[in-house]
Amino acid sequence: MSTPLTLDPRTYQRGLSCVHCGLCLPACPTYTQTGHEADSPRGRIQLMLALADHKIQPTAGVMEHLDLCLDCRACETACPSGVVYHELIEETRAKLAPLKPATRQDRLMRFIFFHLFTKPTRLKLSLLPARLLQKLKLYNLLRSLFIMLLPPQLQKMEQMLPASGPLWPKSLPRLTKTTTQFRNVKRGDEEMRQSKRVAFFPGCVGSVMYGKVNQMAVDLLAAAGADVVVQRAQKCCGAIHHHNNAHHTAQKLARKNIDAMLATNGEKIDMIVTDIAGCGAMLREYDHLLRDDKSYAYRAQQFSSRVRDISEALLELGLPALPHAVKETVTYHDACHLAHAQKVTSAPRKILSQIPGLKLIPLPESDMCCGAAGTYNLTQPVMATDLARRKLGHISSTQCTTCATGNVGCAMHLQSQADVADMDITIIHPIELLHRAVFGPAK
């Protein structure tokens, strides 16, 4: 019996580009953990091509090796042949998904991913009971009684809930900040440049769990000379859907975001900016996602070309004056969706290096995945935990108690694992440090 897997010829060619040199092996997190060839990029490519050629069947073992991939794209950075691995693994998994029997737990996780994580208001409502219990000092007691009754995926999800937070996180208003509101922020002797119009993308989970950082990012963009808007019509970036085999839904969300954000009130948008690496990586992929849509292909290219990580945007605009010293020693972890997917590695370091008083210590294996990888840490909690421990060990080796990283998923994953291990490590966004340098310590 032959497998029904049929890949797009363009995707299939991605696999044929692999020359099996093995330079991807030390870059691959799962291979470094297991040492198994089938858990390496070149091994998985051989599995995927063999499936497409009907040489092997999609057995449970084969799909387990493919599912264990984090899709971190470190192999793409390491590959001398330019293999675009993520297109191959994402399409293959999407085509194989209907062949996998869905357990009750699988259906529950997909409901949470698609109907809670991607809906900020619903996510706020779902977190409200836990936040109330935290305020009443009852949460830890109830947690100790019931946590072990939860399946591993939900245990991991609960573990990632920060120990404190607002009952109802505030959303960014539609018109957020304009540069005229920050005329008092001096830029040395330089006159304020002509304002650029920036559409800020706060994310779904990010807007709920990362609201403070989002507001800081908007403050800094405005202080750097941008007029910043947040469009109410914008939707989830589609990353959770795309990486969980809901390809068509991801395309629908991409179209809605293109319609909402390419222009606001008839005014051209110069940049589309986010401080969440996972969202940024997906937004930059809209040109690929909609390449066969005649109505949106060109607009998707225009959209993707305007996407910037917050660090890139601030350097492009020009940093405001940094009058406040931040006397800390920190290290920096490269989020995979920033370093490997968006190829942004120097901009965050350049910003950190310009903060007065701050000392930046190099992190060993800084671009090795921490195990967060979007929803991976919930679907593969064992491997995700092992990789988090590896990353935290390297952070400890720097003797820094603060680690900066540009992705909410990395921050929540690493912070929760550090807390479980009782490690004195705080994970923050680089923007938090820059905000202190511009505006001073939070009051």
Side-chain angles (χ1 to χ4, degrees), residues 27 31 36 50 67 70 103 158 231 241 263 276 309 312 343 364 392:
Y31 179 79
H36 199 301
D67 287 343
L70 295 114
T103 65
E158 188 281 330
Q231 287 298 90
H241 303 84
I276 301 168
D309 177 67
E312 295 178 293
K343 309 302 180 187
L392 290 169

Side-chain angles (χ1 to χ4, degrees), residues 196-201 221 257-258 260-264 266-274 279-287 296-310 312-314 316-317 342:
K196 288 195 174 184
R197 195 165 178 82
V198 170
F200 185 76
F201 192 86
L221 287 167
N257 283 328
I258 290 170
M261 299 172 69
L262 268 189
T264 57
E267 296 188 54
K268 178 184 175 183
I269 289 294
D270 296 296
M271 288 188 280
I272 298 163
V273 178
T274 184
C279 293
M282 187 71 244
L283 296 175
R284 289 190 199 252
E285 288 281 313
Y286 279 6
D287 56 347
Y296 277 86
Y298 176 75
R299 296 181 68 207
Q301 292 174 3
Q302 294 298 305
F303 183 99
S304 295
S305 70
R306 287 172 170 79
V307 176
R308 302 287 188 278
D309 177 67
I310 182 65
E312 295 178 293
L314 289 171
E316 190 172 327
L317 291 166
Q342 301 186 64

Side-chain angles (χ1 to χ4, degrees), residues 411-425:
M412 292 177 64
H413 178 57
L414 288 173
Q415 189 64 68
S416 67
Q417 198 60 46
D419 293 343
V420 167
D422 198 25
M423 300 175 73
D424 183 21
I425 293 175

Side-chain angles (χ1 to χ4, degrees), residues 431-442:
I431 290 308
E432 297 181 64
L433 297 166
L434 182 63
H435 194 271
R436 283 165 55 187
V438 175
F439 299 102

Side-chain angles (χ1 to χ4, degrees), residues 212-224:
K212 180 182 73 172
V213 176
N214 280 344
Q215 187 61 65
M216 289 180 177
V218 166
D219 291 346
L220 289 166
L221 287 167

Side-chain angles (χ1 to χ4, degrees), residues 105 108-109 112 147 150-159 378:
Q105 183 65 31
L108 173 61
M109 296 307 293
I112 292 172
I147 185 64
L150 298 175
Q153 293 92 335
L154 293 182
Q155 286 187 34
K156 179 62 179 177
M157 189 183 302
E158 188 281 330
Q159 177 188 311
L378 302 178

